[in-house]
């Protein structure tokens, strides 16, 4: 049996935390984004066993989303807060900056269309 790659756990945590900030995504693109934000050597992603290991762990937190015939992954709501908070502060800040303005990030932060005033206005329109 192969031993896990020495960077597998850290890259998996970074990928899950990054995915927690976004809506539907393509898995390899999310892995690349997480590696960049986490300061990992880009050549790590040439290791197909490492990529498979990290994406397999990410998939455990995700569901498949079909958007007009294009399959994307989306993190399920249950694990999202846990994964979002499970990274060191500097990586968490980098991920939040990268995701700024995304609907998921706005909802998590209570900003944009999810600011309390915006939500109140939407409710008022519906009633």
């Amino acid at each position: 049996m192969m031993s896990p790659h020495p960077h597998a756990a850290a890259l998996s945590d970074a990928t899950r935390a990054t995915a927690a900030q976004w809506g539907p995504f393509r898995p390899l693109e999310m892995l690349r984004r997480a590696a960049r934000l986490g300061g990992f050597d880009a050549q790590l992603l040439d290791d197909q066993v490492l990529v498979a290991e990290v994406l397999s762990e990410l998939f455990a937190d995700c569901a498949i989303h079909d958007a007009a015939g294009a399959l994307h992954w989306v993190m399920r709501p249950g694990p999202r807060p846990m994964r979002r908070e499970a990274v060191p502060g500097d990586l968490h800040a980098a991920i939040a900056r990268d995701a700024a303005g995304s609907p998921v990030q706005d909802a998590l932060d209570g900003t944009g269309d999810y600011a309390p005033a915006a939500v109140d206005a939407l409710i008022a329109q519906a009633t």
Side-chain angles (χ1 to χ4, degrees):
M1 183 168 162
M2 294 180 61
S3 61
H5 192 282
H7 297 288
L11 185 55
S12 178
D13 288 345
T15 303
R16 288 168 145 177
T18 305
Q21 308 290 101
W22 290 92
F25 59 88
R26 290 191 171 102
L28 284 174
E29 290 174 9
M30 188 58 62
L31 176 57
R32 287 186 196 107
R33 171 177 272 139
R36 177 179 50 80
L37 292 172
F40 292 92
D41 184 344
Q43 291 182 338
L44 281 175
L45 303 184
D46 292 338
D47 183 336
Q48 293 180 359
V49 173
L50 174 62
V51 168
E53 184 175 346
V54 171
L55 292 181
S56 175
E57 290 184 13
L58 175 61
F59 183 70
D61 289 340
C62 294
I64 302 296
H65 174 74
D66 184 358
L71 295 179
H72 293 81
W73 291 9
V74 65
M75 184 166 282
R76 289 181 281 104
R80 192 177 292 271
M82 175 179 57
R83 299 302 178 199
R84 183 174 183 249
E85 300 300 329
V87 293
D90 54 341
L91 177 57
H92 181 65
I95 292 167
R97 280 191 307 276
D98 182 64
S102 78
V104 171
Q105 185 65 38
D106 283 351
L108 292 168
D109 293 340
T111 58
D113 289 342
Y114 299 91
V119 172
D120 289 344
L122 185 62
I123 293 169
Q125 283 179 332
T127 57

